Amino acid sequence: MQQYNSNQSDRFEFQITMLQKGAEELEKKIAIFTTSLLQIKTAAITIWTALIGWSFSVKVYQIIFAGYIVIISFWFLEAVYWRMQVSYIRKASILAEYLNDLKALDNTFRDKLVPKGLVYPSVSLEGESKVSFLRALKAPSIAIIYGFL
C-alpha cells in the first residue's frame, strides 16, 4: 500500500509539473500566432501596395488583377493561422476556468489526479470543437482589412 501511495504521489507531482509547462506552452503559442498574424497582414499590405504601384508605374493595369490573387491568398492564410490561435485561446480559457474552480482543485489535490486533457493542454482536448474555416474568413479582425484592400 505504501508503494502505491508513493507512485500515486510521484505521478501527481509529474502531472502538476506538466500542467505548468503546458500552461507556459499555451501562452507561448498564443503569442507566436499573434505575431504571425500581424506579419501576415503586413506582408499582404506590402505586396499588394507594391503590385498596385508597379502596375501604375509601368501603365499595365491588368497587373491589378494579380492583386486580387494576393489578397485572397493572404486572407486564406490568415484564416488558417487565426483558427489555430483560437484553438489555443480556448484551451487556455478551459485551463483558467479549471484553475479558478476551487471545488475542482480540491478534488484534484484530494485524489492526486489532474483531469484528463489538462496535464499538457497544448494537445487536442477531448470534445474540443473546431472553428469553421468560413467563420475564420469572416472574423472581423481578418475580413475588415482584406475587405478594404
Side-chain angles (χ1 to χ4, degrees):
M1 185 69 175
Q2 183 67 6
Q3 180 66 25
Y4 175 75
N5 287 339
S6 175
N7 286 342
Q8 187 179 16
S9 181
D10 290 345
R11 183 182 68 211
F12 181 66
E13 291 301 319
F14 175 73
Q15 285 182 322
I16 293 297
T17 301
M18 292 307 293
L19 177 70
Q20 291 169 339
K21 289 182 184 216
E24 291 169 5
E25 189 68 23
L26 281 175
E27 191 176 309
K28 287 178 192 175
K29 288 196 185 268
I30 291 169
I32 287 169
F33 280 113
T34 300
T35 301
S36 296
L37 287 168
L38 184 59
Q39 290 171 341
I40 290 170
K41 273 187 183 61
T42 302
I45 292 169
T46 302
I47 292 170
W48 182 79
T49 304
L51 194 62
I52 298 302
W54 181 53
S55 74
F56 283 115
S57 70
V58 296
K59 296 188 183 357
V60 179
Y61 302 111
Q62 291 82 0
I63 296 173
I64 293 174
F65 294 109
Y68 291 115
I69 295 170
V70 169
I71 291 169
I72 291 169
S73 300
F74 277 99
W75 193 345
F76 277 59
L77 178 64
E78 188 166 351
V80 169
Y81 273 76
W82 185 84
R83 284 179 70 203
M84 289 188 280
Q85 183 187 39
V86 166
S87 174
Y88 284 110
I89 290 171
R90 284 181 175 176
K91 290 172 188 173
S93 176
I94 290 168
L95 184 59
E97 186 178 313
Y98 164 73
L99 292 173
N100 287 313
D101 184 349
L102 297 179
K103 188 174 183 179
L105 285 176
D106 288 343
N107 291 340
T108 295
F109 281 93
R110 184 192 68 232
D111 300 338
K112 295 203 178 294
L113 186 64
V114 177
K116 185 177 180 180
L118 290 181
V119 173
Y120 200 78
S122 65
V123 297
S124 291
L125 296 174
E126 197 173 297
E128 178 183 355
S129 63
K130 302 278 184 197
V131 176
S132 75
F133 189 71
L134 185 59
R135 179 170 176 226
L137 286 173
K138 294 190 300 185
S141 63
I142 298 172
I144 290 172
I145 187 77
Y146 293 102
F148 282 119
L149 291 179

